[in-house]
């Protein structure tokens, strides 16, 4: 996890509906939590995914790398830590760690590269007005 940029943290308890009959979180839920972390990150910077889409742009998943380390369980407090990993002319990459809230043991790690698309679904440059909040968070100067 980077130390030189803003990291958004979202903490909650694992819900029963997110688990199997043994109380273990289903693997798909970690990706849902990562999505919530990305949404929270963007909201913390005065935007939302709805704002992005209303401006005529979309962010489509292009590459996901994920590593499951430990199982989360029902009623466990977890923290989703999200940051901008990298920004390129046409992509934005987010990083994520999901940790046990009290011990900070890593449960899940991932990076997701999102590709910027215009309203026609064509790959396009990340809009210039996004750079004011993207580049500083990516550790750029």
């Amino acid at each position: 996890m980077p130390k030189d940029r803003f990291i958004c943290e979202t903490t909650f308890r694992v819900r029963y509906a997110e688990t199997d009959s043994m109380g273990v979180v289903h693997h798909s839920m970690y990706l849902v939590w990562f999505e919530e972390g990305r949404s929270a990150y963007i909201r913390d910077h005065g935007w939302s995914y709805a704002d992005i889409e209303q401006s005529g742009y979309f962010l489509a998943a292009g590459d996901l790398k994920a590593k499951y380390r430990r199982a989360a369980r029902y009623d466990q407090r977890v923290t989703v830590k999200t940051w901008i990993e990298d920004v390129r002319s046409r992509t934005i990459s987010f990083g994520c760690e999901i940790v046990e809230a009290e011990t900070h043991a890593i449960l899940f790690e991932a990076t997701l590269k999102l590709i910027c698309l215009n309203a026609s679904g064509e790959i396009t440059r990340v809009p210039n007005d996004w750079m004011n909040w993207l580049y500083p968070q990516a550790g750029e100067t």
Side-chain angles (χ1 to χ4, degrees):
M1 186 169 50
K3 305 281 188 225
D4 62 342
R5 62 197 78 179
F6 174 77
I7 297 170
C8 177
E9 294 191 10
T10 305
T11 301
F12 55 90
R13 287 192 180 277
V14 173
R15 293 162 288 263
Y16 187 77
E18 297 167 326
T19 66
D20 62 19
S21 62
M22 296 178 293
V24 175
V25 170
H26 189 270
H27 66 275
S28 65
M29 296 314 305
Y30 296 91
L31 298 176
V32 172
W33 297 345
F34 186 9
E35 180 179 0
E36 179 55 35
R38 290 190 316 276
S39 293
Y41 183 98
I42 291 170
R43 280 192 303 274
D44 279 359
H45 287 86
W47 291 56
S48 72
Y49 269 110
D51 294 332
I52 289 170
E53 291 176 356
Q54 288 172 1
S55 73
Y57 295 94
F58 300 88
L59 296 172
D63 184 41
L64 171 68
K65 292 182 174 77
K67 188 169 199 170
Y68 297 89
R69 296 199 173 265
R70 291 192 170 115
R73 298 185 179 279
Y74 170 66
D75 206 35
Q76 185 176 19
R77 285 176 28 93
V78 296
T79 299
V80 180
K81 299 180 180 187
T82 311
W83 61 90
I84 292 195
E85 187 74 30
D86 189 33
V87 178
R88 301 289 176 184
S89 64
R90 290 171 174 76
T91 62
I92 303 166
S93 296
F94 281 89
C96 170
E97 274 186 2
I98 298 174
V99 301
E100 203 282 322
E102 281 73 37
T103 67
H104 306 285
I106 298 171
L107 306 171
F108 175 83
E109 300 173 290
T111 58
L112 175 64
K113 183 184 290 187
L114 298 168
I115 301 167
C116 189
L117 304 176
N118 63 22
S120 300
E122 299 164 328
I123 296 173
T124 189
R125 294 181 70 79
V126 173
N128 286 334
D129 58 338
W130 297 10
M131 294 304 165
N132 290 332
W133 67 272
L134 288 172
Y135 273 113
Q137 304 315 318
E140 301 289 330
T141 56

